[in-house]
Amino acid sequence: MANVYDVAYDLEKALRNSDDFQALKKNYDEVNNSPETKVLFDKFRDIQVALQQKQMAGQEVTQEEVEEAQNLFAEVQQNETISKLMAAEQRMSMIINEINKIITKPLEELYGPMAEENEPQQ
Amino acid sequence: MANVYDVAYDLEKALRNSDDFQALKKNYDEVNNSPETKVLFDKFRDIQVALQQKQMAGQEVTQEEVEEAQNLFAEVQQNETISKLMAAEQRMSMIINEINKIITKPLEELYGPMAEENEPQQ
Ligand SMILES: [Ca+2]
Ligand SMILES: [Ca+2]
């Protein structure tokens, strides 16, 4: 029987060597090696995080904040280096989600039927 | 280069065949095959989920609800079948966390330094 952690390390290696991770790394370095681009990207990330935190805390997001985020998003979309990084990040996020779905399938199969079975009782 | 999804499926298989998952499955079946135990376990799970949802929604949890949860927890702890299942679930949850830490290490290495680097600016 293959050891779970051994296979997890194999997966880490496969992910690290994948074209998708290598592209992400390259795009990330490109953004970080261009000071102007990095400032714009950090600003966009910071406002994204700030708005998310406000929403999660149930605080009201002002019209001004929404507009600032929209303006930055428009600016960011016109920057090719950042656009490429964001596309690579989205792709990596999708891959990680797929991997998680695959490896938690045994648990889903175990717990899935119980949840359905219980539905009518509630 | 190993395909990421092929290795993810290998990991799923290793997890499914692991002693820890097989023990979880056995303990889970034992709880579900004993109607009295299942009722107690479901009741405990339901109150846990309800309290968690209340806390996440920022709603107040009453003293009565806390006591009900504590009483059920005491009852559940004295039930050997449930105790074994809960220990197996905790162990599986730890394994999944470890796996996630291992496979997201390349991303942590990529993004970790950026976060530190930015700290003094904020
Ligand atoms: Ca920042
Ligand atoms: Ca239930």
Side-chain angles (χ1 to χ4, degrees):
Chain A
M1 191 181 80
N3 178 285
V4 167
Y5 293 114
D6 287 347
V7 188
Y9 281 109
D10 287 345
L11 182 52
E12 192 248 282
K13 218 176 294 167
L15 198 63
R16 190 187 291 274
N17 292 329
S18 69
D19 291 345
D20 294 302
F21 181 73
Q22 292 303 320
L24 171 63
K25 203 168 169 351
K26 188 173 155 272
N27 295 329
Y28 182 82
D29 288 341
E30 271 169 21
V31 166
N32 282 278
N33 290 335
S34 157
E36 215 178 305
T37 301
K38 187 173 168 12
V39 164
L40 174 60
F41 187 63
D42 280 352
K43 217 169 149 187
F44 177 61
R45 272 289 138 90
D46 286 347
I47 196 165
Q48 265 191 324
V49 170
L51 289 189
Q52 240 169 14
Q53 282 172 343
K54 269 194 133 181
Q55 281 173 332
M56 270 165 48
Q59 286 166 5
E60 208 188 331
V61 175
T62 65
Q63 183 59 26
E64 212 185 321
E65 285 171 319
V66 171
E67 272 169 31
E68 196 190 341
Q70 281 172 341
N71 290 340
L72 273 171
F73 185 60
E75 222 182 313
V76 147
Q77 278 190 306
Q78 285 173 338
N79 183 308
E80 208 195 338
T81 318
I82 295 181
S83 295
K84 273 159 67 185
L85 174 57
M86 282 170 65
E89 285 182 334
Q90 231 164 29
R91 180 145 180 78
M92 187 50 60
S93 158
M94 193 210 74
I95 291 169
I96 297 285
N97 277 340
E98 291 288 317
I99 289 175
N100 278 330
K101 259 191 242 158
I102 291 169
I103 65 178
T104 57
K105 203 147 190 279
L107 291 172
E108 208 194 284
E109 283 173 16
L110 189 63
Y111 288 99
M114 190 201 198
E116 270 174 278
E117 200 183 286
N118 275 359
E119 206 68 41
Q121 298 173 14
Q122 294 172 359
Chain B
M1 190 183 78
N3 178 285
V4 167
Y5 293 115
D6 288 346
V7 188
Y9 281 110
D10 287 344
L11 182 52
E12 191 248 283
K13 219 176 293 165
L15 198 63
R16 191 187 291 275
N17 293 329
S18 69
D19 291 344
D20 294 302
F21 181 73
Q22 292 303 320
L24 171 64
K25 203 168 170 347
K26 189 174 154 269
N27 295 328
Y28 182 81
D29 288 342
E30 270 168 22
V31 166
N32 282 278
N33 290 335
S34 158
E36 214 178 305
T37 301
K38 186 172 168 15
V39 164
L40 174 61
F41 187 62
D42 279 353
K43 218 171 150 188
F44 177 62
R45 272 288 137 91
D46 286 348
I47 196 165
Q48 266 191 323
V49 170
L51 289 190
Q52 238 169 16
Q53 283 173 342
K54 269 195 134 181
Q55 280 173 333
M56 271 166 47
Q59 287 165 5
E60 209 189 330
V61 174
T62 66
Q63 182 59 25
E64 211 185 322
E65 285 170 319
V66 172
E67 272 169 30
E68 197 189 342
Q70 281 171 341
N71 289 341
L72 273 171
F73 185 61
E75 220 182 314
V76 147
Q77 278 191 308
Q78 285 173 337
N79 183 308
E80 208 195 340
T81 318
I82 295 181
S83 295
K84 273 158 69 184
L85 174 57
M86 282 169 64
E89 284 182 335
Q90 232 165 28
R91 179 144 181 80
M92 187 49 60
S93 158
M94 193 210 74
I95 291 169
I96 297 285
N97 277 342
E98 291 288 318
I99 289 175
N100 279 330
K101 260 191 242 158
I102 291 169
I103 65 178
T104 57
K105 202 145 190 279
L107 291 172
E108 207 196 284
E109 283 172 15
L110 190 62
Y111 287 99
M114 191 199 197
E116 271 174 277
E117 199 183 287
N118 275 357
E119 205 69 39
Q121 298 173 13
Q122 293 175 357

